[in-house]
Amino acid sequence: MITLHALKYSRATRVLWLLADLGQPCNRVDYDRDQNFRAPECLRRIHPLGKSPVIEDDGHVIAESATILRYLVAKYGDHDHTPPVGTPAFWQHEALLDYAEASLAEVALQVILPAFQGKPASEPAQSALNRHLDYLSQEISDGPLLFGGRAMLADIQLSYIVALLARFDLLSDHPAIAVYWDALQAQPGYIAAVQAHGPMAPPA
């Protein structure tokens, strides 16, 4: 059985969501954040960077959310969380799956981190985030999710950043993303993951 090292209020909820969708159990090891909202040092015994989520399977340690999600669908032979391989939609999906952390997260955190401290973001940071959220709104198109009504890996991957943006009321000027967030929260896998491990974003 897979072991999931899950930090509270973290990207680990993504992994629990997919496992719930796949009907697969895991051995979950939970970690609380320290007083500075950082991961505890003990996570470094699992991964040198002290990262979460990290999974252990058959003696292998695997980090990075997108890699873990891809690993799980390959391990369990799942074809319901990506468009058909080789189609234009598949490659669009792959780009969005990587976009969440490779592009969006860095820009979003420039606004989210000041919000954690009760401070407004700089105008350039907010403008950059607005451009990304406008782009994401276009990708959602008719919705309710990126590729219709079924959550794909890219939806699961995007959920953490969108959850943080919603937590700090940063979606008011982007109604399409707010509706998208509502649709994400209605997904059975998301509901199961949150019930098991708590919310993605810290409470107010």
Side-chain angles (χ1 to χ4, degrees):
M1 182 185 296
I2 285 175
T3 294
L4 168 63
H5 297 273
L7 180 64
K8 194 171 186 179
Y9 308 128
S10 79
R11 293 162 169 85
T13 309
R14 295 163 164 167
V15 180
L16 287 169
W17 177 345
L18 179 58
L19 286 169
D21 278 1
L22 297 175
Q24 295 294 333
C26 71
N27 173 33
R28 196 180 81 232
V29 182
D30 292 336
Y31 299 82
D32 287 324
R33 291 181 177 271
D34 66 18
Q35 60 185 4
N36 296 314
F37 205 70
R38 297 184 183 277
E41 285 295 318
C42 60
L43 263 173
R44 293 183 184 274
R45 294 198 293 267
I46 311 302
H47 188 281
L49 298 179
K51 299 177 73 67
S52 176
V54 170
I55 63 169
E56 295 181 271
D57 188 33
D58 294 329
H60 302 292
V61 176
I62 302 171
E64 303 298 340
S65 297
T67 301
I68 293 170
L69 297 182
R70 288 181 169 116
Y71 177 85
L72 291 175
V73 297
K75 177 181 176 69
Y76 295 114
D78 173 72
H79 300 287
D80 291 336
H81 288 83
T82 62
V85 174
T87 63
F90 174 83
W91 293 113
Q92 179 189 9
H93 172 270
E94 290 298 290
L96 288 167
L97 177 54
D98 290 326
Y99 162 78
E101 292 291 342
S103 299
L104 176 61
E106 180 180 1
V107 172
L109 286 173
Q110 298 304 308
V111 179
I112 291 168
L113 291 178
F116 260 111
Q117 302 172 342
K119 300 176 182 178
S122 69
E123 184 174 340
Q126 185 63 60
S127 295
L129 177 60
N130 287 340
R131 285 195 299 275
H132 277 266
L133 294 182
D134 287 343
Y135 163 73
L136 185 55
S137 296
Q138 293 174 3
E139 291 298 308
I140 294 168
S141 186
D142 295 332
L145 301 176
L146 289 169
F147 295 88
R150 177 185 295 171
M152 300 288 169
L153 296 186
D155 293 297
I156 296 173
Q157 184 76 344
L158 281 162
S159 64
Y160 180 70
I161 299 301
V162 177
L164 289 175
L165 293 170
R167 158 65 179 81
F168 292 104
D169 298 322
L170 296 170
L171 298 178
S172 57
D173 293 332
H174 300 276
I177 309 299
V179 171
Y180 177 60
W181 174 230
D182 288 341
L184 290 172
Q185 292 177 91
Q187 295 298 301
Y190 171 86
I191 294 169
V194 168
Q195 288 176 343
H197 189 54
M200 286 183 169

